[in-house]
């Protein structure tokens, strides 16, 4: 199988490439990635000289480049995106450009060359659930995005479905909950809190920390994507969740406990505008139809993740660059 993976130098995409080569050593992978601030070739060092792996630096919005790459693959798995909610609040334009326009460009090429297309999406397209309710998102939940990020992902999901219905594109979509695990870029909640605690800095928790996310280990997400590629019904949307709803405060306290650090490092800061209260996914349909199950529970998954960041200090220290720190300062200005 010849995969075209977009955004394969990011957090989930690079874990997917590790997953594929471990499970299907004979597969061929082309990784198309623009190498934005979030793309990191250090995530894929061990494949650099592998004949079955090819890296192409480029934009999913580049028509000629994408046309040639799509013509030469069997399947496209689209991870490429601007992915950080806070950045989408500071500057939404790139989110529309990559997540909407870029995805549409991939869809055009997939239709032209009659290729199978899988789109990676998020539970954030469904909006916010009330705190302290038992309601969960299902594939039937109407879209109600809150941030420019989730709105751009919602738009791209609609485009994928429209290309399936209108042009007969062989497409599937997965909407997954919050991921954690190795190689996550350092601006996201879990690595950010880990690094701040390591550096003796305050841990900025938005609002009162009661917002709830459903945390899934990235390997379980990627196993779900692989199952959908193999057994998913064309035209379907599958939900993948961690079955591990935790408030942000619980997550941050878990990290501190695993690191042997004190809760006094926690600092409550001004809330994110439009901050969704709660996400929770009902994955029972995916589990029943496709036999997908999770290998990691939250407690052991977090322990493994903290151990990974401990063992890969060079990896994350390299990312504490000037560019990133500038963003970080801008983000917390006035909080
Ligand atoms: P990430 O920000 O770590 O990685 C994104 C990658 O896409 C980077 O390598 C970046 O260089 C690349 N990229 C950005 N714009 C590009 C463009 N125009 N052309 C080519 N490459 C480009 O993101 P992630 O957390 O790995 O998320 C991957 C996908 O999974 C996204 O589509 C995201 O919406 C989705 N998702 C993420 C989560 C999560 O918890 N992180 C949960 C559900 C779904
Ligand atoms: P994040 O990792 O940005 O993912 P998302 O917004 O896509 O869910 O944030 C996860 C949760 O953690 C979210 O409710 C916002 C919160 N958060 C903080 O409280 N402090 C922080 O510094 C960050 C980055 C996030």
């Amino acid at each position: 199988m010849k995969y075209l993976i977009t955004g394969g130098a990011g957090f989930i995409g690079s874990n997917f490439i590790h997953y594929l080569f471990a499970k299907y050593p004979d597969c061929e992978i082309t990784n198309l990635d623009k190498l934005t601030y979030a793309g990191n070739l250090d995530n894929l060092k061990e494949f650099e000289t592998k004949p079955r792996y090819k890296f192409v630096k480029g934009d999913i919005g580049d028509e000629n480049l994408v046309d040639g790459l799509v013509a030469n693959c069997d399947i496209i798995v689209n991870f490429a995106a601007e992915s950080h909610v806070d950045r989408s609040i500071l500057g939404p334009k790139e989110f529309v450009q990559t997540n909407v326009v870029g995805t549409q460009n991939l869809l055009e090429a997939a239709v032209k060359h009659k290729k199978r297309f899988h789109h990676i999406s998020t539970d954030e397209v469904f909006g916010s659930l009330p705190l302290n309710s038992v309601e969960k998102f299902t594939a039937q939940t109407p879209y109600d995005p809150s941030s420019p990020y989730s709105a751009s992902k919602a738009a791209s999901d609609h485009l994928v479905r429209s290309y399936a219905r209108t042009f007969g594109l062989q497409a599937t979509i997965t909407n997954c909950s919050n991921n954690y695990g190795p190689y996550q870029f350092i601006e996201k909640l879990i690595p950010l809190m880990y690094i701040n605690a390591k550096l003796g800095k305050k841990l900025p928790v938005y609002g009162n920390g009661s917002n709830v996310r459903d945390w899934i280990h990235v390997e379980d997400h990627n196993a779900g994507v692989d199952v959908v590629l193999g057994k998913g019904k064309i035209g379907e949307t599958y939900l993948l969740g961690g079955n591990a709803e935790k408030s942000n405060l619980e997550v941050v306290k878990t990290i501190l406990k695993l690191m042997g650090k004190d809760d006094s490092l926690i600092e409550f800061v001004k809330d994110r505008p439009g901050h969704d209260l709660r996400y929770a996914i009902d994955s029972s349909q995916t589990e029943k139809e496709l036999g997908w199950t999770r290998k990691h529970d939250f407690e052991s998954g977090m322990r493994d993740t903290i151990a990974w960041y401990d063992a890969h200090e060079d990896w994350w220290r390299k990312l504490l660059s000037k560019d990133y720190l500038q963003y970080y300062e801008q983000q917390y200005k006035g909080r």
Side-chain angles (χ1 to χ4, degrees), residues 84-86 124 178 187-189 192-193 204-206 211 213 248 272 275 279 332:
H84 191 41
V85 173
D86 293 326
E124 303 197 24
N178 284 64
E187 67 190 353
K188 299 283 169 68
L189 179 75
L192 178 84
M193 296 297 165
V205 172
Y206 301 165
N211 302 62
R213 300 292 183 261
N248 293 337
R272 169 190 281 173
H275 196 176
Y279 302 142
Y332 292 104

Side-chain angles (χ1 to χ4, degrees), residues 59-69 104-105 108-109 112:
D59 193 319
I60 57 168
D62 180 333
E63 277 179 43
N64 285 336
L65 177 65
V66 161
D67 187 75
L69 295 173
Q104 188 264 340
N105 188 48
E108 280 292 319
K112 178 176 165 194

